[in-house]
Amino acid sequence: MRQAYRSKFAFVLGWVWVAFVAFNVWDLIARYNGKPSLVALAVLAVLTALVYLIALRPVTLFTEDALVGRNPLRTTVLPWAAIDEVTVSHSINLRHGDGQVLRLWTPVSTARERAKAQRRAAAPAPRRGRLRTEPVLSKAEQAAQEAFAGKTHADWVGEQITDRAESARRRAQEDAPVRVRWAYDSLAVVVVAVVLLAAAILA
């Protein structure tokens, strides 16, 4: 079963931007007036390349056999048994092989989110009188609240990665090689942006 972790906010905004660009490209082509239109197209292409690299492409995928980390310019397939250590700071960092580190772009933990999680963990349990005026949490909701106390989403995902890696090692799962490949989709987007930018400068 595949699980995907990405910034939903950035992902949605990225596709909103793509829709905005698609409309403007159609308008610029329909009303093409030489260099001004070409410059506008080049600017849109450069901004769209940045949006794609930062907002749309990064994702962390859990598959049955491996973790797939899609960063802006590379994709790394890291078998669960190959993960030696997981640390979480601003990002999730996976140590593997001979001291190599894979830094995941999603999910990230901002300073604001971490401070909020720490405040939530330090907050005392609400005192209740004889008459309860607040909704009572179910056992499942209480368990979820306790599990997330003091933790960010990145911390929780880091724990899931650790559990899967330890489980793979207990099963003596075959240590398949780590595969790293260039993101040809990202390179194609960057090349298109550079070509349009060069055309606008030389026109």
Side-chain angles (χ1 to χ4, degrees):
M1 182 177 177
R2 290 165 64 92
Q3 294 173 280
Y5 299 97
R6 58 163 40 100
S7 171
K8 293 181 181 178
F9 180 72
F11 191 71
V12 170
L13 280 186
W15 281 111
V16 169
W17 172 261
V18 169
F20 169 78
V21 168
F23 172 78
N24 280 275
V25 167
W26 173 82
D27 187 58
L28 287 169
I29 292 174
R31 304 180 184 186
Y32 185 77
N33 63 345
K35 186 166 183 176
S37 293
L38 198 55
V39 170
L41 283 170
V43 171
L44 288 175
V46 170
L47 292 176
T48 302
L50 291 174
V51 168
Y52 181 78
L53 293 176
I54 296 171
L56 295 178
R57 190 172 199 284
V59 64
T60 298
L61 292 173
F62 286 12
T63 68
E64 192 67 30
D65 302 319
L67 179 144
V68 180
R70 274 178 40 183
N71 291 346
L73 295 176
R74 290 190 300 180
T75 297
T76 303
V77 180
L78 189 59
W80 294 113
I83 299 174
D84 297 324
E85 184 184 4
V86 180
T87 57
V88 182
S89 54
H90 173 66
S91 62
I92 301 175
N93 306 305
L94 310 179
R95 189 174 297 277
H96 62 93
D98 299 325
Q100 299 181 66
V101 176
L102 169 63
R103 183 171 289 106
L104 302 176
W105 276 58
T106 59
V108 296
S109 173
T110 63
R112 183 176 182 179
E113 184 184 6
R114 189 163 295 284
K116 183 178 179 181
Q118 290 172 349
R119 284 197 305 271
R120 189 171 59 240
R127 298 181 62 183
R128 300 179 184 275
R130 291 182 59 188
L131 298 176
R132 295 185 175 181
T133 57
E134 298 179 7
V136 178
L137 298 177
S138 67
K139 288 184 179 180
E141 289 172 329
Q142 288 176 357
Q145 192 175 60
E146 291 171 4
F148 274 98
K151 298 176 184 175
T152 65
H153 186 225
D155 293 323
W156 183 81
V157 173
E159 289 180 357
Q160 303 306 304
I161 295 171
T162 300
D163 291 344
R164 289 199 180 211
E166 290 176 352
S167 176
R169 284 194 291 271
R170 282 196 301 269
R171 296 196 310 266
Q173 186 173 325
E174 185 179 349
D175 193 2
V178 177
R179 302 191 304 276
V180 182
R181 60 180 182 270
W182 287 103
Y184 295 112
D185 52 336
S186 295
L187 296 178
V189 169
V190 170
V191 167
V192 170
V194 169
V195 168
L196 283 174
L197 187 61
I201 292 173
L202 297 174

